[in-house]
Amino acid sequence: MAVGAGILAGQAARRWLDVVEVRGRSMAPALLPGDRLLVECRTYARRQPRPGEVVLAADPRAADRELIKRVASVDEAAQTALLLGDAPAESTDSLVFGPVPLASIRWRAAFRYWPPERAGRL
Amino acid sequence: MLSLRSILRPTRHVHAHCDIPCGVYDPEQARIEAESCYRIIEKYHASDDEVFRQRCVAVKEARAEETKHHIDVLWHDYFKPEHLEKYPDLHDVCWKASKAASKVKQGTDLEAARDLLALIDQIDGMWKGTGGLEKTRLNGRPS
């Protein structure tokens, strides 16, 4: 019963919490392929992304793909952000596709829960 | 019934990829690095200069890591589901090749380097069999 309620709560929470898996190495060593993350979309409903935060954004070149990158800078006037991978040699990011609209950034990567030995806040 | 496990298993994938993509792939890149490992291991065993041997180990480890990287790029980026239909052992071979590269990185066993080369040749066969030579190199391989 308690488990059932927990699962129902979990499903309700998924509207603003979700789990994602990382593909690719452009965020190495902070994030590695196969890392599983808890992401949430409440923060950016309240405020803008800040430099240093790891965010999800629609790929400007293919809207059905989601990228995970770090916010390098935010241009308040233009309402855009510069997104960069931590590993520049292996990253396709704002150096390639330019700044992205702040509106395209809704989810913030908050916590890694897998693998357990590297679990922790991001 | 949803389980905790299913809740924690992501269905959403987020991409941290480098993919311009340039579309150029060739197992030769992995092979050259692996051949370096092979030769370095030979030189390692032939030398009694401890400093030289240490250099051999350091360089061999770096080359083996490169080999592994090139194998992984082929595996992740070049090969597609339709290639798997043609070569059902594709995952197994790439996996073994990647592991073989790790083994070469860890040790100084010439046999391990030979195994790695043989696995890269198997990948090369699948790459050629799926039109890699014509599709991914500008003018085929330089002759």
Side-chain angles (χ1 to χ4, degrees), chain A residues 31-95:
Chain A
L31 301 176
L32 298 176
D35 280 4
R36 293 178 179 186
L37 316 176
L38 197 63
V39 297
E40 54 86 17
C41 65
R42 284 213 153 164
T43 301
Y44 300 148
R46 287 189 287 107
R47 64 159 176 86
Q48 290 181 347
R50 289 174 188 155
E53 290 176 339
V54 178
V55 301
L56 312 191
D59 187 334
R61 304 152 305 160
D64 57 336
R65 267 168 69 99
E66 261 185 312
L67 302 176
I68 183 159
K69 300 285 167 185
R70 198 179 293 279
V71 178
S73 63
V74 174
D75 184 335
E76 302 254 354
Q79 287 291 294
T80 59
L82 212 60
L83 304 181
L84 297 179
D86 287 357
E90 299 194 51
S91 181
T92 298
D93 52 34
S94 284
L95 298 178

Side-chain angles (χ1 to χ4, degrees), chain B residues 72-87:
Chain B
D72 285 347
V73 168
L74 286 161
W75 190 3
H76 303 153
D77 298 350
Y78 168 71
F79 287 116
K80 306 283 183 296
E82 58 268 28
H83 300 161
L84 188 62
E85 282 170 27
K86 185 170 178 187
Y87 296 103

